[in-house]
Amino acid sequence: MRGRLPLLSKSSDFDQNGGHKFYYMNFKNTITAVLFFVAVLIAQNAYSQTNYADVKVDDLTDVQVRQMIERAESVGYSDAQLEQMAAAQGMKPAEVQKLKLRVEKIRKEGNTSTKDGLKNDTKLDSDKGRTYQNEKDSTTTKNSLKIKTPEEQRKEDMANIFLDLKPKIFGAELFKNSNITFEPNLRMATPRSYVIGPDDELLIDLSGDNEASYELKVNPEGIITLQFVGPVSVGGLSIEQAISKVKTKMSGTYPALRSGRTNLAINLGNIRSIKITLLGEVVKPGSYTLSSLSTVFNALNASGGPNSNGSFRKIQVIRGNRVVSTIDVYDFLLNGIQKNNIRLQDQDVINIPVYQSRVEMSGEVKRPALFEVLSNESLEDLIRFAGGFSDKAYTAQIKVLQNTNKERKISDVPAEQFGTYGPLNGDKYIVESILDRFENRVEIVGAVFRPGQFELEKGLTLKGLIAKADGIREDAFLNRGYISRLNPDNSLALISFDLNKVLNGSEADVPLFREDKVTISSIFDLRDEYKVTIQGEVRAPGIFEYADNMRLEDVIQMAGGFKEGATPNRIEISRRIKNSDAMSASALTAEVFNVSVDPNLKIVDTDFVLKPFDVVSIRSAEGYQIQKQVKLEGEVLYPGTYTIMQKNERISDVVKRAGGLTHTAYPDGASLKRPGAEKANPNDKNAIDNKEEDDKKFLSLKRAQEVGAKDTTKAELEQKLIQSDLVGIDLIQILKKPQSRYDLIVEDGDVIRVPRQLQIVKVTGEVLNPNGIVYLPSKNFKQYINGAGGYTSNAHKKGAYIKYANGSVEAARKFLFFNNYPKVKPGAEIMVPKKAERERMTAQSWIGLGTAIASMGAIIVSLLR
């Protein structure tokens, strides 16, 4: 196809000089080769480690140490592991100890333990263009072709943690970035300055009076052969020169070319390849085959660019044994200008010399790195290379660490010398951060309208600062205020003043100094918060904020008013005693008032005025009762809920109101569940709070579950808690002898259950086959146990008991040498508990016991002798 150009590709062969050979390949083969090449590089570098033996911890900035701590935490490493990894990376033991101290210092400052500190560090790292996350993502992308082993992952994490300990060479990543290829645009129009050479394909088109097209390839002698014209030498000519020459040659055949009625155009078809050589400090030196449209940057990208010793400022293009162009990569890195990036020709040589002067810029600059400087450049240029100062930089001077013939030295370069100071090879420039302090700050807090920090103007006084804060609030404590002031040695001093006298001018004003902090208290800060409590028969009892001249009716209204059963009479107000006789045994502990109010809370002159911390108690009206109900379930004629009509109403009365028992009722199994009036009706004023007893009951059940029956489920435990409210009653005796001691007085919330005739006896607990067994009057307790398979080896036989359907429980009794088992009734449940677990004697315990017995025996023998 016309216009198709070759793609750059690399083979794995090597010529005699060790140079790489490049050939034309199709797109698919090119991708395959590139993937293979990347995989080889990863395999070669998987276990490579950077040697950090030359790292000086004293030269590291706090920002670098914080980044290292943050990265270690992100992969789950502790500070101790961080030190171990530093040693594993080749850091000297003395430097590892210094690193430990630096980490401890930064930890104490709290800069790495707060989220804000981490955010600030990340932001600062982002400003410098090299956040850890981006580097990690980049590394993950590059290494995605190979699944890492745990050891390789560990080494990669170590390398990432210490990534910034050794500075990067500015520009080194330019030719390693896979997103920047510098490949020439092969679809552009043919450049008029392009020099034709052997193997170029020329597309010659005639249009106008004469129309013809030729695809001619330039032979090794630089000649093309035109039909009807003959050979024409175009080798070494530019496209523009070739058009002129070919037009002259073809004018004899096509006269219309002279008059302009026919036009001639020459373009490139397939472009030839050229061979160039890269020498010197190159990552991959050798010979490369590129397209004839390639520039110097294309060649540098193909070879990996300068290595760690190569110059980025004086890259030379040699053609015909003379330097035809010198390239400064910094022009592109800093300004985006490809200055002197000429188009290469066949047999060109690119030479990358060793750098002459390289310095390090670190600290509070936007782009810390190693920079190459020329002899005519100054520190000001170096600052420009580093992107300028950060927003926290101390710009008055820069610290310089230099190497002399004998030792190292340190110098300070003031700002006025930045433009004249010439950097030397090996210099390290440290831009420190500004001090974390204010030169003109004062602060006022407390009872002022605008508390905060203000500028310390010349001659500013306490009164002037209060005016800046828009004055004091109405609740300000006028008798005293204080100023926290730093002494010359930074110790704290306290200066008190009378605020009222300072403001009215009767006391001298107080001059302020840097970092003074003025505190003006509120009267509410110096006393307990005044409250009033109301409890009892109001709709919303609680604690309310006290206000001057607060009356009893006011707080009742705040609490939502009276409940229906409340009485406005005999309201009790208890008040604190301030002057009680501490030596008297009968001294008053509170002052109590009993007052009455209008039921409609009308305002009268005799309203009771409350004081702070008063407690108001509203009583229930005498004779007021809410309905109390019991529930009757099971085998009665009219089961349901019944309201208690009298205080002495009994079980027999309720059963009688329900129409009595049905013919299928089993009165022996009747039960009474009594949760308590406080559970059934929490609003009952006469209910007794049994919460504490219930908590103890639940705790006992819980312990029983943990010790005796560890396989008891939660549902069974809740069922036991329900059954613990059951009261064993004898309904037969109750109905036979009403009003007797068996006939209990019913209470609010009682549930009376009368079951249907029961036919099953349950056997549970430590038996081989817990189940239900059909009740037979002829069977006794042991026969039912045998019907369940008998006892297990863990059964506590003496603790077996029976629980009847009415909730009553009876245990086995022992008479002389005989066990007297309780009678079994229908619906009963036989429970066999588990033996308490005993701790087994270990060998050590037996040895201890034997030693104790032997010692005691020896003592007895000695006493007898």
Side-chain angles (χ1 to χ4, degrees):
M1 182 179 72
R2 295 181 61 179
R4 184 174 64 84
L5 302 177
L7 293 170
L8 179 64
S9 60
K10 177 181 178 182
S11 74
S12 58
D13 298 330
F14 296 86
D15 60 16
Q16 294 178 352
N17 298 324
H20 300 270
K21 293 182 179 180
F22 283 75
Y23 301 99
Y24 295 116
M25 299 176 66
N26 60 36
F27 184 79
K28 182 177 179 181
N29 292 337
T30 302
I31 295 298
T32 304
V34 171
L35 294 178
F36 175 78
F37 177 66
V38 173
V40 170
L41 286 180
I42 295 172
Q44 291 174 346
N45 296 325
Y47 294 94
S48 63
Q49 288 184 322
T50 305
N51 184 12
Y52 292 93
D54 298 333
V55 171
K56 302 291 184 184
V57 176
D58 293 336
D59 295 344
L60 299 179
T61 64
D62 285 347
V63 173
Q64 288 176 302
V65 179
R66 287 192 195 102
Q67 290 168 357
M68 185 168 55
I69 296 173
E70 181 184 348
R71 291 173 183 177
E73 289 176 344
S74 68
V75 292
Y77 289 158
S78 64
D79 291 347
Q81 291 173 314
L82 180 64
E83 297 158 17
Q84 296 172 1
M85 288 188 294
Q89 292 283 353
M91 188 178 290
K92 295 178 181 177
E95 298 300 323
V96 173
Q97 184 62 26
K98 289 181 181 179
L99 178 62
K100 177 181 178 182
L101 297 176
R102 285 286 296 277
V103 170
E104 290 176 354
K105 177 183 176 183
I106 292 178
R107 289 284 193 194
K108 289 179 181 178
E109 292 173 355
N111 292 334
T112 59
S113 61
T114 62
K115 293 183 179 179
D116 290 340
L118 293 180
K119 287 180 180 177
N120 292 337
D121 290 345
T122 305
K123 180 180 183 300
L124 182 61
D125 206 16
S126 177
D127 291 341
K128 297 174 182 176
R130 48 186 177 82
T131 58
Y132 171 59
Q133 188 62 42
N134 292 338
E135 291 161 349
K136 189 174 181 181
D137 293 343
S138 176
T139 304
T140 304
T141 302
K142 291 178 182 177
N143 296 343
S144 60
L145 295 175
K146 181 174 183 282
I147 298 176
K148 303 181 188 67
T149 64
E151 179 65 16
E152 291 172 342
Q153 185 63 48
R154 185 184 69 84
K155 291 182 178 181
E156 182 181 322
D157 290 339
M158 290 171 62
N160 287 333
I161 290 172
F162 298 98
L163 191 65
D164 286 333
L165 291 191
K166 299 200 76 173
K168 297 179 181 178
I169 300 174
F170 179 61
E173 295 183 355
L174 176 64
F175 302 110
K176 299 176 184 177
N177 190 346
S178 60
N179 296 324
I180 303 176
T181 61
F182 295 103
E183 286 193 14
N185 183 5
L186 303 180
R187 300 181 63 84
M188 66 180 181
T190 302
R192 292 303 178 190
S193 60
Y194 178 80
V195 179
I196 301 172
D199 293 332
D200 277 342
E201 184 182 56
L202 299 182
L203 306 177
I204 302 176
D205 295 311
L206 292 174
S207 60
D209 289 352
N210 307 102
E211 291 192 4
S213 296
Y214 303 95
E215 293 183 14
L216 303 175
K217 190 172 183 178
V218 182
N219 66 19
E221 287 77 25
I223 297 173
I224 60 173
T225 303
L226 283 166
Q227 189 179 11
F228 308 121
V229 176
V232 180
S233 177
V234 294
L237 300 179
S238 65
I239 292 293
E240 190 172 7
Q241 293 170 338
I243 291 174
S244 178
K245 187 172 184 178
V246 172
K247 187 176 182 180
T248 303
K249 291 282 188 179
M250 297 183 72
S251 296
T253 307
Y254 302 98
L257 286 171
R258 294 192 186 98
S259 62
R261 295 169 62 88
T262 298
N263 297 318
L264 173 68
I266 298 180
N267 293 294
L268 289 174
N270 286 334
I271 300 175
R272 74 181 187 278
S273 60
I274 59 174
K275 190 169 186 178
I276 57 101
T277 303
L278 285 97
L279 301 174
E281 301 301 322
V282 192
V283 173
K284 294 177 287 184
S287 297
Y288 290 81
T289 301
L290 308 174
S291 75
S292 57
L293 288 177
S294 299
T295 63
V296 179
F297 274 21
N298 300 134
L300 291 174
N301 183 70
S303 64
N307 60 22
S308 58
N309 290 324
S311 171
F312 283 79
R313 309 294 304 275
K314 296 180 179 180
I315 300 176
Q316 300 171 335
V317 180
I318 302 172
R319 183 177 298 159
N321 292 327
R322 67 184 184 90
V323 177
V324 296
S325 179
T326 301
I327 295 176
D328 186 348
V329 180
Y330 278 23
D331 288 333
F332 177 74
L333 292 172
L334 298 173
N335 306 314
I337 300 174
Q338 298 186 31
K339 188 178 180 180
N340 295 334
N341 184 26
I342 63 174
R343 188 173 292 111
L344 296 174
Q345 296 185 13
D346 193 35
Q347 301 303 320
D348 278 353
V349 175
I350 299 176
N351 178 46
I352 302 180
V354 177
Y355 70 87
Q356 296 300 314
S357 180
R358 182 181 286 170
V359 299
E360 181 183 352
M361 179 65 81
S362 64
E364 296 297 332
V365 290
K366 296 176 181 175
R367 192 163 46 216
L370 289 172
F371 297 94
E372 185 179 349
V373 293
L374 303 179
S375 58
N376 61 341
E377 292 176 335
S378 64
L379 178 55
E380 193 172 50
D381 296 314
L382 183 59
I383 296 172
R384 180 171 57 86
F385 296 162
F389 296 111
S390 71
D391 55 353
K392 295 182 180 179
Y394 173 58
T395 60
Q397 67 179 22
I398 294 179
K399 198 179 298 298
V400 186
L401 305 180
Q402 293 180 318
N403 299 323
T404 66
N405 294 333
K406 291 178 56 179
E407 56 193 358
R408 305 178 75 194
K409 74 172 186 177
I410 186 170
S411 303
D412 294 323
V413 182
E416 55 269 17
Q417 295 182 14
F418 288 172
T420 58
Y421 188 87
L424 301 176
N425 185 38
D427 285 356
K428 179 173 182 178
Y429 296 86
I430 302 174
V431 180
E432 298 178 331
S433 60
I434 57 175
L435 300 177
D436 188 15
R437 55 180 284 174
F438 290 85
E439 64 178 13
N440 62 341
R441 178 178 64 175
V442 290
E443 186 177 1
I444 185 169
V445 295
V448 291
F449 285 106
R450 293 187 183 276
Q453 298 174 351
F454 295 90
E455 176 190 2
L456 176 62
E457 300 169 344
K458 187 175 182 181
L460 183 65
T461 62
L462 172 61
K463 200 170 181 181
L465 180 59
I466 293 174
K468 278 190 171 188
D470 284 351
I472 60 173
R473 295 202 310 255
E474 295 82 358
D475 61 324
F477 181 64
L478 300 178
N479 295 337
R480 177 181 290 270
Y482 60 89
I483 302 173
S484 301
R485 177 168 294 171
L486 294 179
N487 291 323
D489 60 352
N490 271 355
S491 60
L492 192 64
L494 205 65
I495 301 172
S496 300
F497 58 88
D498 189 320
L499 179 60
N500 191 32
K501 292 181 179 180
V502 170
L503 292 178
N504 62 30
S506 59
E507 187 174 291
D509 203 354
V510 182
L512 299 179
F513 297 92
R514 187 184 69 84
E515 295 299 329
D516 276 359
K517 182 178 181 180
V518 179
T519 302
I520 297 176
S521 300
S522 167
I523 58 174
F524 303 113
D525 297 334
L526 303 177
R527 72 181 189 191
D528 288 340
E529 191 174 2
Y530 287 174
K531 299 288 185 181
V532 172
T533 303
I534 184 169
Q535 58 191 16
E537 297 301 305
V538 287
R539 297 179 64 250
I543 300 174
F544 297 90
E545 188 173 352
Y546 174 79
D548 289 341
N549 203 32
M550 177 182 280
R551 299 179 182 273
L552 175 59
E553 289 82 356
D554 297 329
V555 73
I556 294 174
Q557 184 178 2
M558 291 178 185
F562 292 115
K563 285 185 178 180
E564 182 189 10
T567 176
N569 303 320
R570 297 185 59 80
I571 296 176
E572 183 180 282
I573 299 100
S574 60
R575 182 167 294 167
R576 292 182 178 180
I577 296 292
K578 295 184 178 179
N579 299 316
S580 179
D581 186 2
M583 303 301 295
S584 174
S586 60
L588 294 176
T589 58
E591 190 176 3
V592 177
F593 305 90
N594 285 295
V595 298
S596 300
V597 298
D598 185 84
N600 299 319
L601 302 179
K602 292 181 180 179
I603 297 178
V604 295
D605 296 336
T606 58
D607 287 348
F608 187 87
V609 179
L610 300 176
K611 289 187 177 181
F613 310 112
D614 280 357
V615 177
V616 180
S617 300
I618 309 295
R619 310 297 185 191
S620 295
E622 62 275 9
Y624 178 80
Q625 295 284 341
I626 62 172
Q627 297 92 333
K628 298 179 181 179
Q629 294 180 324
V630 297
K631 192 173 184 181
L632 200 56
E633 298 176 349
E635 295 300 316
V636 292
L637 287 178
Y638 303 105
T641 302
Y642 290 83
T643 300
I644 300 174
M645 299 171 58
Q646 299 175 348
K647 286 186 176 182
N648 62 346
E649 191 165 4
R650 298 176 181 268
I651 295 176
S652 60
D653 299 327
V654 177
V655 173
K656 184 177 180 181
R657 288 168 61 187
L661 305 180
T662 65
H663 68 281
T664 59
Y666 178 55
D668 265 347
S671 63
L672 169 66
K673 180 186 176 186
R674 178 163 288 175
E678 74 284 352
K679 293 182 183 178
N681 190 355
N683 296 320
D684 185 4
K685 67 175 183 177
N686 296 321
I688 299 174
D689 188 2
N690 293 322
K691 184 177 184 304
E692 185 176 351
E693 287 76 4
D694 289 342
D695 292 341
K696 290 180 180 178
K697 188 188 300 181
F698 184 80
L699 182 61
S700 299
L701 289 172
K702 192 75 174 175
R703 288 174 178 169
Q705 178 197 29
E706 293 174 353
V707 176
K710 294 189 177 181
D711 57 343
T712 305
T713 62
K714 182 179 179 182
E716 290 173 339
L717 183 65
E718 292 175 351
Q719 183 65 25
K720 286 184 178 181
L721 185 61
I722 293 172
Q723 293 172 349
S724 66
D725 290 330
L726 294 179
V727 179
I729 60 174
D730 189 345
L731 187 60
I732 295 178
Q733 290 291 334
I734 289 172
L735 297 179
K736 186 182 295 184
K737 298 179 179 179
Q739 308 297 319
S740 66
R741 62 187 180 89
Y742 302 105
D743 195 2
L744 302 180
I745 296 175
V746 292
E747 295 182 3
D748 189 23
D750 282 356
V751 178
I752 303 171
R753 295 189 178 99
V754 181
R756 190 184 295 247
Q757 183 66 44
L758 303 175
Q759 300 175 335
I760 300 296
V761 175
K762 291 179 65 177
V763 183
T764 59
E766 292 299 318
V767 290
L768 294 175
N769 183 28
N771 61 3
I773 301 174
V774 176
Y775 171 76
L776 293 176
S778 60
K779 282 189 176 182
N780 58 24
F781 189 93
K782 292 194 67 175
Q783 288 175 323
Y784 282 105
I785 295 288
N786 293 334
Y791 296 108
T792 66
S793 58
N794 293 325
H796 181 43
K797 300 178 183 178
K798 295 180 181 179
Y801 63 93
I802 187 168
K803 182 170 64 177
Y804 295 109
N806 66 350
S808 60
V809 177
E810 191 173 349
R813 294 187 297 272
K814 195 174 183 68
F815 179 73
L816 297 178
F817 301 102
F818 303 99
N819 288 324
N820 185 13
Y821 292 103
K823 183 179 179 181
V824 181
K825 296 181 180 181
E829 181 178 2
I830 299 174
M831 302 285 292
V832 181
K834 186 178 182 180
K835 287 181 180 178
E837 293 185 1
R838 295 182 180 179
E839 186 178 353
R840 292 187 177 183
M841 293 282 287
T842 62
Q844 186 176 1
S845 301
W846 283 111
I847 293 173
L849 181 62
T851 303
I853 294 173
S855 299
M856 186 172 292
I859 292 172
I860 293 173
V861 171
S862 299
L863 290 175
L864 292 176
R865 289 180 179 178

